[in-house]
Amino acid sequence: MRIDLHAHSNASDGTEPPAVVVAAAQAAGLDAVALTDHDSAAGWEEAAQTADAVGIALVRGMEMSARHLGVTVHLLSYLHDPTYPPLVAALERVHAARRERAQAMVERLARDYPIDWESVARRAAGGAPVGRPHIADELVALGAVPSRSAAFERLLHPRGPYYVRYWAVAAQDAIGLIRAAGGVPVFAHPGATGRQRLVGDDGIVQMHDAGLFGLEVRHRDNPPEQRVRLTALARRLGLAVTGGSDYHGAGKANRLGENLTAPEVFREIIALGALPLVGRAPLDG
Ligand code: AMP
Ligand code: FE
Ligand code: FE
Ligand code: ZN
């Protein structure tokens, strides 16, 4: 069974609509895919319709922005109730913070590039939470950089002059909210060097104590030595190990199915989550 538990659509910062992502997952030979847009469940309905139509199991998920000691961390949530009011309130606050932050970054960029906020805001489709990829796309359109990746490498990275941080929920609180909403929380790309500082073992222990289910060890941004460290830590703490592609359509080189989650772990997630899978039942065939 091929199970990819990390993919984005244009309901956040992927380049393709949810229907296209789910159809591409089926075409890539996956049995199950999770749609995990940043801080949003807006793509779920469209994704579910396509999952039914093409015959693939869909895990309704999200990648929630959080922070740990000033470092941004991403928490995948699977099968949570998206209407749980405290979670909805936290996400609304994150959306507002992302917007203010993106505006502040555009103001800084506007000193050196002919970029304006309205053009960036338009790139976040239908109220999608705005992120640096939307700024990157506008910089590409202006001819300032050749690609999203180049925009990140040259202009948008955390140590650059245009970077601005944004408020997000503390990781332990985010894990509590996800659990209270019936979701299954997994720390996304916990060994991703080259972003910001890594969360240390002590931080992961704290997240474990707050109710973390697993670590996304199999992700292209975790280098081999980090995978060794995280695998050992997962075993010691009794955390599950997961994998996912972090597909963003044309926005990143990541391909659907390039990292997978084991069927046993997938079964545990299904058993724990508040919502059922939709589309085809992958465990019966
Ligand atoms: P933000 O959520 O605004 O902080 O932006 C982070 C997002 O930017 C991540 O979720 C990725 O989708 C994207 N991203 C980060 N680095 C790169 C890169 N080198 N190339 C393309 N997209 C990237
Ligand atoms: Fe992203
Ligand atoms: Fe992420
Ligand atoms: Zn992601």
Side-chain angles (χ1 to χ4, degrees):
M1 251 209 301
R2 291 166 51 77
I3 301 149
D4 181 344
L5 293 185
H6 194 161
H8 296 266
S9 74
N10 67 1
S12 64
D13 60 4
T15 60
E16 298 165 346
V20 174
V21 174
V22 172
Q26 193 275 335
L30 293 173
D31 299 290
V33 67
L35 185 71
T36 53
D37 278 304
H38 297 283
D39 303 310
S40 176
W44 283 10
E45 210 174 293
E46 180 181 318
Q49 283 173 14
T50 305
D52 271 330
V54 304
I56 186 172
L58 173 72
V59 177
R60 290 169 287 176
M62 168 176 80
E63 185 175 12
M64 186 171 179
S65 304
R67 71 188 148 82
H68 177 78
L69 303 177
V71 178
T72 299
V73 302
H74 287 171
L75 290 163
L76 294 160
S77 172
Y78 300 116
L79 304 172
H80 60 274
D81 172 3
T83 68
Y84 178 59
L87 181 62
V88 170
L91 293 174
E92 278 172 5
R93 212 178 145 190
V94 170
H95 283 213
R98 278 178 162 284
R99 221 176 155 75
E100 283 169 32
R101 175 272 203 134
Q103 271 177 294
M105 284 189 69
V106 168
E107 269 173 43
R108 292 189 183 191
L109 284 158
R111 294 175 200 150
D112 299 319
Y113 300 92
I115 190 168
D116 68 274
W117 167 244
E118 289 311 315
S119 320
V120 171
R122 265 200 300 277
R123 292 182 179 276
V130 64
R132 282 178 289 160
H134 302 112
I135 302 176
D137 289 348
E138 182 60 16
L139 289 165
V140 172
L142 292 168
V145 285
S147 66
R148 259 193 196 185
S149 321
F152 274 88
E153 277 154 34
R154 298 183 203 167
L155 303 173
L156 304 178
H157 61 86
R159 292 160 305 282
Y162 307 112
Y163 188 78
V164 177
R165 295 201 315 194
Y166 64 99
W167 176 90
V169 192
Q172 285 151 290
D173 297 338
I175 290 165
L177 285 169
I178 290 167
R179 284 285 190 181
V184 183
V186 170
F187 187 0
H189 43 73
T193 49
R195 295 186 187 222
Q196 290 166 287
R197 269 186 354 260
L198 288 179
V199 176
D201 289 7
D202 50 342
I204 293 180
V205 170
Q206 286 169 10
M207 288 162 71
H208 162 269
D209 295 346
L212 190 67
F213 171 77
L215 300 177
E216 189 190 38
V217 175
R218 289 193 293 278
H219 183 287
R220 69 155 66 198
D221 293 354
N222 299 327
E225 67 278 9
Q226 284 299 324
R227 296 189 196 202
V228 171
R229 169 200 163 221
L230 294 164
T231 304
L233 192 58
R235 194 170 297 138
R236 176 157 79 79
L237 298 174
L239 290 167
V241 164
T242 72
S245 63
D246 209 355
Y247 180 72
H248 280 71
K252 272 187 168 181
N254 308 35
R255 292 299 95 190
L256 284 161
E258 70 174 34
N259 279 294
L260 300 171
T261 295
E264 313 82 77
V265 172
F266 183 49
R267 283 191 188 91
E268 273 189 79
I269 291 171
I270 297 165
L272 287 168
L275 300 182
L277 292 179
V278 289
R280 185 167 61 91
L283 302 173
D284 308 336

